[in-house]
Amino acid sequence: MAVLQSLAELGQRPPAPEATDAPRYEKKIDAQGRAYATGKRKDAVARVWLKPGRGDILINERPIEVYFARPVLRMIIEQPLQVSNRMGQYDLVVTVAGGGLSGQAGAVRHGLAKALTNFEPDLRPSLKREGFLTRDPRVVERKKYGKKKARRSFQFSKR
């Protein structure tokens, strides 16, 4: 790297080469034409397979309306498809285990967003902007000894 002696030399310098170190994301599909991804939230782990289709969503071999009866949970799962304008274009096969229904819905959403980026890498910026590709790190705090729960102490009695 050359040291500049005056401001006049600054204008004569050749422009710096553009950084081409930005990662290139490529389409990752298996032999059956499916994209796979794993999503996690709290204690729940979801394995998601995505393939072009009519928009059928099977979770643990059951339709989404049966497995996630609450509309809020179904809305959480479908958010990545709505943001990317891909509703009804992909079939999903999901196996999810662990945690409760809310954690499982978050895990499916995380896995679906990752699978969409594996199938269509161009969707990555819009999904990342909405925060669907970030794993939510919040988990239950462990119980400490000498405490009733993680932070709750036993009731104090002066006498």
Side-chain angles (χ1 to χ4, degrees), residues 2-50:
V3 177
L4 299 176
Q5 300 298 327
S6 68
L7 288 175
E9 293 179 21
L10 186 61
Q12 298 170 355
R13 260 178 99 188
E18 291 188 31
T20 57
D21 296 346
R24 300 267 313 141
Y25 295 99
E26 296 177 6
K27 191 173 184 176
K28 297 178 192 163
I29 56 173
D30 62 6
Q32 288 88 24
R34 304 175 302 181
Y36 169 79
T38 305
K40 295 183 180 182
R41 169 83 171 93
K42 293 186 177 179
D43 275 342
V45 179
R47 299 184 300 162
V48 180
W49 287 271
L50 175 98

Side-chain angles (χ1 to χ4, degrees), residues 76 79-85 109 113 123-135:
I76 288 172
Q79 281 176 336
L81 293 171
Q82 289 174 345
V83 166
S84 59
N85 294 326
R109 179 178 79 172
L123 297 177
R124 185 176 171 82
S126 61
L127 293 172
K128 184 125 177 100
R129 191 177 320 114
E130 296 294 326
F132 298 145
L133 296 176
T134 305
R135 192 237 194 259

Side-chain angles (χ1 to χ4, degrees), residues 95-146:
T95 57
V96 63
L101 286 177
S102 174
Q104 288 184 352
V108 172
R109 179 178 79 172
H110 184 224
L112 171 57
K114 286 170 64 175
L116 272 170
T117 57
N118 286 343
F119 202 86
E120 293 185 60
D122 298 338
L123 297 177
R124 185 176 171 82
S126 61
L127 293 172
K128 184 125 177 100
R129 191 177 320 114
E130 296 294 326
F132 298 145
L133 296 176
T134 305
R135 192 237 194 259
D136 193 344
R138 296 176 294 173
V139 292
V140 177
E141 189 175 349
R142 68 173 278 272
K143 182 195 176 300
K144 280 53 162 214
Y145 64 91

Side-chain angles (χ1 to χ4, degrees), residues 61-92:
E61 299 178 359
R62 288 186 278 187
I64 187 171
E65 293 81 17
V66 174
Y67 195 85
F68 289 112
R70 292 183 7 218
V72 173
L73 299 177
R74 291 197 299 265
M75 180 202 68
I76 288 172
I77 291 170
E78 293 168 350
Q79 281 176 336
L81 293 171
Q82 289 174 345
V83 166
S84 59
N85 294 326
R86 299 293 189 269
M87 289 295 289
Q89 295 183 20
Y90 292 109
D91 288 345
L92 290 172

